[in-house]
Amino acid sequence: MTIFVTGGAGFIGSNFVRHWLTQSPDQKTDPIVVIDKLTYAGNISSLEDSLQTENVEFILSDIGDTHLISSLLEKYDPRAIINFAAESHVDRSIHAPEDFIQTNVVATNRLLQAAHHWWSRQAEHAKQNFRFLHISTDEVYGSLLETMPPVTEESSYRPNNPYSASKAASDHLVRAYHHTYGLPVLTTNCSNNYGPYQFPEKLIPLIIRNALDGKSLPVYGDGQNVRDWLYVTDHCQAICKVLEKGRIGEVYNIGGSNEMKNIDVVRMICSILDKNSPRTDGKPYENLITHVEDRKGHDRRYAIDSTKIERELNWRPNHDFESGLRKTVMWYLENRGWISDVTKRHGEDNFFPHK
């Protein structure tokens, strides 16, 4: 049976499609319909290998296009919608919050409306088997002090920027469609993802790209902001677990248990590059680090407790940060053409310091 992957040409979405196709043979028989409007962060080249298989079909569309989404639901009768579609970059949300409200709130609501309208007319067994899985972020929980424990699924929402506020709103809409209409939903809140095919405005690919180009490596403020890092394929494995066995209406936090300061992440990248692609002048990449003016309202620390998904669904990340980061840096070194392609396509004005 078909699954819909919205935002499937983006970073996590394209990795999920690729991961799905490498799973067990019975899962391979489930066709995937990728729905993406191909904004700057959605790249069809990220799906190039997946689209060569007969099980993946790509449709250019906005999730807010109710008429088209409704017609696709009628045509394909999916057993699941996995919603990755979102504006996700904090810097952009500070400069243009309206875009985030339109995509993350208005368009998500329209997707929910279309899904509910279609689902409510299905046979009972189809209704019971359907899932709407919404992918969200740990940023909805807000910033933590150094001494505070990681957030759980019971923690209060305290978003501090337009991006996280718009994602919090979408989470609440998903919850409301379950409690009001009975739509069988699931929500996951993940920590910072990293890995292949990430648009180079986010910290890790931006630092790699700038370093290879001999440019400065921008670090916000004092660089002491802490994030929990989750390797993208570990996230994809968790999503598969939630889709397969997650309890309807529940929220699952997905973290990597890898809290790192931004400055330490940058230094680790520099160290890996020094060994694998040294500068022609023999100097260490760390010499390129430049501290820049801090972001407005910059959250100090995110940390996420994944006990629930570990206990209920037997999921744990396979990568520690050191191994995942090394694998990530090596991928970008081996795929410089992908970075060059997306950079040329969107121009320097599309790059902010980092998330």
Side-chain angles (χ1 to χ4, degrees), residues 144-163:
L144 299 175
L145 299 176
E146 183 178 351
T147 57
M148 296 174 69
V151 296
T152 71
E153 291 80 359
E154 303 302 320
S155 298
S156 299
Y157 274 27
R158 301 180 65 182
N160 291 322
N161 56 66
Y163 161 60

Side-chain angles (χ1 to χ4, degrees), residues 210-221:
N210 278 18
L212 295 176
D213 289 346
K215 298 178 180 179
S216 64
L217 309 181
V219 176
Y220 276 133

Side-chain angles (χ1 to χ4, degrees), residues 120-132:
S120 64
R121 294 179 287 106
Q122 302 306 300
E124 193 59 35
H125 68 90
K127 292 173 70 173
Q128 292 178 1
N129 290 331
F130 177 75
R131 297 291 184 271
F132 185 107

